[in-house]
């Protein structure tokens, strides 16, 4: 049954709801944990969920098999948002925050980790082709600035200076990238066409 006036809570694969008591909750194999999972794949104290002000964070407690947020192993405390998936051992919990406003934000949150070559949209990893990644990384580095087709061509296609790249190829690449990072590619909130000038990436 739904928890009344519970604030943030977790649901497990059986749709059971787990209240997050007070300012912190631990997940693990030990009976003193707030959420106990009887599995050898989970450390005695595996994961902590804690509150700081109006925000909730998840962190791993040095467990053997780690804690995963939206499919990625976390190395530091990560801010939680409504709908996030937290994997502890072989159990996946969904974080619910009835009071959150982030889900009402129509602008996707894009992060480009150029060191790791990873792109996240709303903190979930997105798979891009090599040229889609090069385009996004270039625009992300120059976010909120208009980038011309010539600039994009030189950044994405090494052969651009030889005249082997046409405008339609750049336009098609932009179109494909929009399908990867926009909620509604037909009504972009991130990657805009600036008529006669080029393209601009706006981030939230």
């Amino acid at each position: 049954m739904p928890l009344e006036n519970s604030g943030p809570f977790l649901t497990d694969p059986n749709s059971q709801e787990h209240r997050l008591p007070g300012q912190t909750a631990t997940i693990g194999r030990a009976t003193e944990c707030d959420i106990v999972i009887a599995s050898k794949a989970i450390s005695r104290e595996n994961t902590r969920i804690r509150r700081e002000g109006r925000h909730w964070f998840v962190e791993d407690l040095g467990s053997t098999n780690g804690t995963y947020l939206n499919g990625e192993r976390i190395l530091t405390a990560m801010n939680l948002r409504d709908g996030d998936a937290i994997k502890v051992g072989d159990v996946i919990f969904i974080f619910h925050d009835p009071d959150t406003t982030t889900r009402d934000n129509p602008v996707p949150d894009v992060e480009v980790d150029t060191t790791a070559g990873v792109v996240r949209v709303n903190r979930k990893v997105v798979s891009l082709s090599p040229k889609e990644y090069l385009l996004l990384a270039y625009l992300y580095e120059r976010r909120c600035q208009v980038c011309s087709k010539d600039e994009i061509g030189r950044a994405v296609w090494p052969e651009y200076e030889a005249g082997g790249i046409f405008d339609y190829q750049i336009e098609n690449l932009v179109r494909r990238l929009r399908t990867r990072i926009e909620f509604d590619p037909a009504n972009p909130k991130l990657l805009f066409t600036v008529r006669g000038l080029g393209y601009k990436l706006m981030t939230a």
Side-chain angles (χ1 to χ4, degrees):
M1 294 179 61
L3 298 171
E4 295 183 1
N5 302 319
S6 63
F9 60 95
L10 304 178
T11 53
D12 62 26
N14 296 320
S15 298
Q16 181 179 350
E17 297 181 359
H18 302 269
R19 183 191 300 268
L20 297 178
Q23 300 296 308
T24 183
T26 55
I27 304 172
R29 195 160 36 87
T31 55
E32 58 266 25
C33 289
D34 297 288
I35 300 174
V36 179
I37 305 174
S39 170
K40 292 182 178 179
I42 296 174
S43 298
R44 287 183 56 78
E45 291 189 350
N46 200 105
T47 305
R48 177 184 292 121
I49 297 176
R50 57 182 171 80
R51 183 173 184 170
E52 290 187 10
R54 298 178 59 185
H55 299 279
W56 286 85
F57 293 81
V58 60
E59 60 185 343
D60 187 72
L61 298 176
S63 66
T64 301
N65 294 319
T67 300
Y68 291 76
L69 178 62
N70 298 323
E72 284 193 275
R73 188 167 184 165
I74 61 175
L75 302 177
T76 60
M78 298 291 291
N79 188 203
L80 285 170
R81 298 181 184 176
D82 185 63
D84 278 348
I86 304 167
K87 184 178 180 183
V88 182
D90 51 3
V91 179
I92 296 177
F93 295 93
I94 303 300
F95 176 77
H96 301 271
D97 185 356
D99 297 326
T100 189
T101 58
T102 53
R103 62 187 170 195
D104 297 325
N105 185 359
V107 181
D109 180 19
V110 173
E111 175 192 355
V112 180
D113 184 343
T114 54
T115 301
V118 173
V119 173
R120 300 178 183 87
V121 177
N122 288 347
R123 297 187 307 156
K124 295 181 181 179
V125 174
V126 174
S127 178
L128 300 179
S129 72
K131 289 199 183 302
E132 288 167 352
Y133 174 80
L134 286 173
L135 172 60
L136 181 58
Y138 182 80
L139 294 173
Y140 187 82
E141 185 179 345
R142 295 158 181 78
R143 50 193 178 277
C144 302
Q145 302 177 28
V146 178
C147 298
S148 70
K149 288 182 179 178
D150 280 344
E151 291 170 330
I152 291 171
R154 285 192 291 270
V156 177
W157 283 273
E159 66 273 27
Y160 183 78
E161 295 294 354
I165 301 302
F166 300 95
D167 282 359
Y168 78 87
Q169 291 174 276
I170 297 174
E171 292 161 4
N172 286 341
L173 182 61
V174 169
R175 192 176 301 114
R176 292 199 303 272
L177 180 58
R178 281 192 178 122
T179 66
R180 301 288 192 182
I181 65 173
E182 298 277 8
F183 292 148
D184 181 3
N187 295 287
K189 303 293 184 181
L190 287 168
L191 181 47
F192 294 93
T193 300
V194 182
R195 191 174 298 277
L197 296 176
Y199 300 96
K200 177 169 61 173
L201 182 73
M202 301 295 292
T203 56

